[in-house]
Amino acid sequence: MKILARQLTLDLYNCETNRLSNVEEIKEMFKGAVGSEPQLAAKVLDEGHFSIIGAFSEGHIALHVYKDLRYVAVDIFTCIESEEPEELAKVIRQFFRPDKIKSTFLKRGDFGLEREIKPKIKVRVAPLRRVKNAGAKVVKKLVRRN
C-alpha cells in the first residue's frame, strides 16, 4: 500500500552533556545529516530548554533539547516514500550518544486497514546502561535478604 509520508519520533535519554549546549554545533549536524541546505529556526524557550526546527525539501525535523534532564525529543517527518527517516535518526543518535532510546515509527497517509495504523515502538538501551541496571537489581535483592 502506498503511503504519503513516514514519521519517526525519538526520545533520547541521558545524552552527553557537552552535546546539549551548543546550538550552532547542532545546526551544523543537521546540515550534514540532511544533505540539502535546510531552513533552520532555533529558539531558546527557557534557560534549560531550546528547540530547533529544520525544514528541507523532503520533510522536516523538530528537536527539543532539555539540558538539565539530558533529554532530547526528536520528530523526523519525510514526505517522500523512498526516503528513510532511520538514516537521519542514526546521525542524530551518533551526535548525542544517549544511554537509552525510545523510537516510534508512523506511516502517515496510510489508507490501509484500521488495524495497520498502530505505531511500531522500539526501545534500545546502551550496553553500559544494561550492566548498571543489572548490578542495581542484584544489590537490591541482596539488601532485601539481609
Side-chain angles (χ1 to χ4, degrees):
M1 158 114 315
K2 184 175 168 101
I3 61 171
L4 296 178
R6 290 174 167 77
Q7 183 171 1
L8 181 64
T9 63
L10 302 171
D11 292 315
L12 309 177
Y13 300 96
N14 295 323
C15 297
E16 286 190 0
T17 53
N18 60 341
R19 300 290 184 141
L20 299 173
S21 300
N22 192 338
V23 176
E24 293 304 316
E25 191 176 318
I26 296 171
K27 284 183 176 181
E28 289 302 314
M29 180 268 304
F30 268 136
K31 290 177 185 175
V34 173
S36 60
E37 185 68 26
Q39 296 176 354
L40 295 175
K43 180 161 176 99
V44 176
L45 301 171
D46 62 43
E47 191 173 316
H49 175 209
F50 65 88
S51 65
I52 299 174
I53 298 175
F56 51 98
S57 59
E58 300 86 21
H60 68 267
I61 299 175
L63 183 132
H64 287 267
V65 177
Y66 298 86
K67 291 187 276 187
D68 298 338
L69 300 174
R70 295 177 53 202
Y71 169 75
V72 179
V74 182
D75 293 325
I76 304 170
F77 184 88
T78 58
C79 45
I80 297 175
E81 188 176 0
S82 63
E83 195 68 29
E84 295 294 330
E86 292 86 359
E87 293 301 317
L88 291 172
K90 185 178 180 181
V91 173
I92 292 169
R93 282 195 316 263
Q94 289 172 348
F95 181 82
F96 288 109
R97 296 185 189 116
D99 280 348
K100 182 179 175 184
I101 301 165
K102 178 182 172 190
S103 64
T104 306
F105 182 78
L106 298 167
K107 293 179 181 178
R108 304 298 303 268
D110 182 1
F111 299 101
L113 299 174
E114 192 171 316
R115 69 176 179 263
E116 295 173 351
I117 295 174
K118 186 176 178 182
K120 295 177 185 172
I121 298 173
K122 291 183 189 176
V123 176
R124 292 179 16 163
V125 178
L128 186 57
R129 172 62 62 193
R130 285 188 190 139
V131 170
K132 289 179 184 176
N133 291 346
K137 288 177 184 177
V138 169
V139 169
K140 197 180 221 182
K141 286 188 180 192
L142 290 174
V143 169
R144 286 184 187 165
R145 287 184 182 176
N146 295 334

